[in-house]
Structures are given as structure tokens and as C-alpha cells.
Amino acid sequence: MTKLAKITAVCIALMPAVAVAQDTTTDGTTEVIIPTDDELEMFRVAITDVGCTIADEETALTVETATAYDEATLDAIVQQLRVYNEIVDASEEGGITLVTGDCAV
């Protein structure tokens, strides 16, 4: 993944939540992505494994590699977990923190 793509993924994760993520397909139509329970759980495990916070490119790449999800799926997962109030902003400088499960404060 390129440096720009990693930075973009982290920035997307910081955007305010919307109900679902959307991705434009190659034919120009819009696909709505709704993450499955298994996808949500795999992401929870991956972010827990890096210390509950994604605040830099290295941890973002580690989570991306662990899940093997594309950018649109990761965006949908982060947005859904924001709706569930399981993710909060890590700091004013950026990043996200999981606040449930083993990461509960």
C-alpha cells in the first residue's frame, strides 16, 4: 500500500460516522458496503493486537495486513463501529481507539 493510501485510510477513519460506506464500482455505479459481524470482529481483534489505537501509518498497515480488507471495507467497518460507539478519536492529532472488549477503559 502506498504512503498516500495509508494516510488516506487513517483520515477516512477519522471522518464523522455515516450509516454505511459506499464505493464506486468500475462501471460507475455505487455499491453500499455493510460489514458482516465476522468482519467487525476480525477488525476488533486486529486493533486490539496493536494496542487498541491506530495513530500512525505503521499500526494502520499492521491492522490492514492482519485483516486483508480493502480500503472500502475498512472504511465501512470503522464507520459501523463509530455508530456502535466502539471507536473514539485517539487524540486531536488523529487516529482512532477501540474502547470495548479488551480495550475498554
Side-chain angles (χ1 to χ4, degrees):
M1 174 178 240
T2 67
K3 183 175 182 178
L4 178 59
K6 285 186 267 184
I7 292 169
T8 301
V10 171
C11 290
I12 287 171
L14 299 176
M15 291 179 2
V18 295
V20 294
Q22 298 182 355
D23 190 25
T24 304
T25 61
T26 55
D27 67 358
T29 60
T30 301
E31 172 188 24
V32 174
I33 300 171
I34 301 172
T36 67
D37 289 341
D38 288 342
E39 290 170 330
L40 293 171
E41 186 57 27
M42 183 175 277
F43 183 84
R44 289 180 188 112
V45 168
I47 194 171
T48 299
D49 288 347
V50 297
C52 303
T53 297
I54 300 173
D56 56 37
E57 290 181 40
E58 182 180 338
T59 54
L61 182 58
T62 301
V63 170
E64 180 182 347
T65 301
T67 62
Y69 297 143
D70 61 30
E71 185 177 335
T73 301
L74 287 168
D75 181 36
I77 290 168
V78 168
Q79 289 180 32
Q80 188 62 50
L81 291 177
R82 280 189 184 276
V83 169
Y84 292 162
N85 292 317
E86 292 189 37
I87 287 182
V88 298
D89 293 335
S91 68
E92 290 182 19
E93 291 78 40
I96 57 171
T97 299
L98 183 67
V99 294
T100 59
D102 290 342
C103 297
V105 288

